[in-house]
Amino acid sequence: MFGVPGDFNLWFLERAAPVGQVEFVGCCNELNAACAADGYARLNGIAALATTYGVGELAALSGVAGAYAERVPVVCITGAPPLSAMKNGALLHHSLADGNFDNMLACYKEFTVAQTRIEPKTAALEIDRVLRACWLEKRPVYIQLPSDLIACEIADIEAPLELDLPADSAAHLARAIASIAARLARAERPAFLLDADADRFGLTDLIIRLAEANDIPIVSLAPARGHVPDAHPLSLGTYRGAASIPTVKEAVETSDCLLCIGARLTDLSTGLFTQNFDKAFIVDVQPTMVMVGDVSYDRVSSRALLMGLLEAAPRRRQSAPHLRSIAAPARPPQASGSLTQATFWSFIQGLLQPGDVLLADAGTSLFGAAALTLPRDTTFISQPIWGSIGYTLPAVLGSCLAAPDRRHLLFIGDGAFQMTAQELSTILRLDLKPIIFLVNNDGYTIERLIAGPESAYNDIQPWRYSQMPAVFAPAKPALVRVAKTQEQLADAVAAAAGANSATFIEVLLPRMDAPGDLAKFARRAAEFDFPQIFNAA
Ligand SMILES: Cc1ncc(C[n+]2csc(CCOP(=O)(O)OP(=O)(O)O)c2C)c(N)n1
Ligand SMILES: [Mg+2]
């Protein structure tokens, strides 16, 4: 449980921590706590956020919305004023002093899948209802806990929380399986198109088994990066609409049976809506329903459907090996010279190890990291939909706590770092050991590529980043380096391998340099956002 205490939640924290099953991690602010909970839940399945009424919970809201958009289960618990005071409309601190105590819950209603204000009579039922929704829908929920209810006792809990999905409709399930199996039998070019849901609902292994049994190639959308190992013979790569590599584009766009798992065709996932496939060939698998062409089957859970297909689908003869574009082996970086985006990411490629957790913040970091070939068992954490800069620094706090034995590599821009920098102090306080690459390119480069390359609004105050670890945690060890050249980067990384502490490497990159085809993407984003200005030009 990540959060910040406040008078209305103090006794909740007092009671919750000694239970011994929940560790409370105090963060510097609530936005960071929400992102840390999100990072933790991505690896360990679920996390909680504890805030105080009004000031705390509203500060967390962007992080909670991010968890909603990216489909991450976080239980948000707010300590609220005493029930009686709220019912009487008392003019309290942390409220608008207008007697309204419904506004916070109303805000959270927009960004969570279930909400409740705990009252004595319904507490047991309501807490279970909301936790169940969080787990089953893999999205945030909101529990408002009035401070005076902390002494309220409920009857003993007799059975563990029921966490099964509501029963499927056997008839719908059977018809959906038969219909998809028939399509698969006819199909000459079936393909899987995976989104984040495949991972969130624990379906990836099942999908791989189904793909192997039927020789179906697998393509991922950006949010599913890293879920299927890049080295798997059936894994073709990431679909990005017109910007996809030819093998991926062809597999998806000429497929006559495209098995989409939770696919959300967002701007970033489709290279700005340049996808080109026929709806008639789509099987759209959602958590509790499936659309086959234009026929929908509700009360069909994705797991039961995939299991059914594994049994029912006719085994296809192994076809010729799928044309995969194997990433060119990373060129060993030249030994000398100033770093560029190209030489930096090529160096990072050579650094990756199986089992790494990679986090990449929005900005050039996400575009550079997304193009890496990932070794097996890599977890890739980013916010390709919500895209809130600064998310990854608190997220690495959460991911390190969730998987302390794995190596965590964070790539974050200077602009993003300035958003949530304080959480470096919590990372150091807890003796966590991520390797942080602070990509310092003197401001908001990704925005400069879209508009205003020289405009002051894309400038930021340069901080002396390498002194931050000492400022935030003077008594804690941290390996700190600044790398402007490839030798310095290589030295820093070699030192990190032997360091028994967090590593903080400030990497100096040119102001307008961008990885891969980001510059092209940025031009197209400008045309999309400001058509009157950029299409006319
Ligand atoms: C919370 C939030 N505020 C503003 C933005 C808009 N925004 C997107 S990218 C960006 C600049 C990122 O700069 P930096 O982190 O330095 O990355 P760079 O592209 O320079 O490597 C901004 C301000 C955002 N995505 N999120
Ligand atoms: Mg920058």
Side-chain angles (χ1 to χ4, degrees), residues 287-357:
T288 57
M289 66 91 70
V290 58
M291 286 276 290
V292 186
D294 51 16
V295 183
S296 80
Y297 301 88
D298 64 353
R299 288 182 291 140
V300 170
S301 63
S302 47
R303 174 175 299 280
L305 181 77
L306 293 170
M307 301 262 276
L309 282 174
L310 198 56
E311 283 160 25
R315 298 291 140 119
R316 298 165 60 86
R317 273 212 334 267
Q318 291 288 116
S319 57
H322 294 283
L323 271 183
R324 310 176 64 229
S325 48
I326 309 289
R331 269 178 294 121
Q334 299 145 6
S336 64
S338 289
L339 284 163
T340 62
Q341 288 273 354
T343 53
F344 174 65
W345 290 108
S346 136
F347 181 89
I348 295 300
Q349 179 69 73
L351 187 70
L352 301 184
Q353 293 169 3
D356 281 345
V357 179

Side-chain angles (χ1 to χ4, degrees), residues 62 341 361-365 386-389 412-417 419 439 441 443-447 458 460 518:
S62 173
Q341 288 273 354
D361 214 275
T364 63
S365 294
W386 189 242
S388 182
I389 63 170
I412 183 166
D414 48 349
F417 181 78
M419 290 263 167
V439 175
N441 48 14
Y444 296 153
T445 296
I446 194 169
E447 298 207 325
N458 281 326
I460 59 176
L518 172 57

Side-chain angles (χ1 to χ4, degrees), residues 92 125 161 226 284 495 505:
L92 295 179
L125 281 176
L161 185 59
D284 182 16
I505 304 174

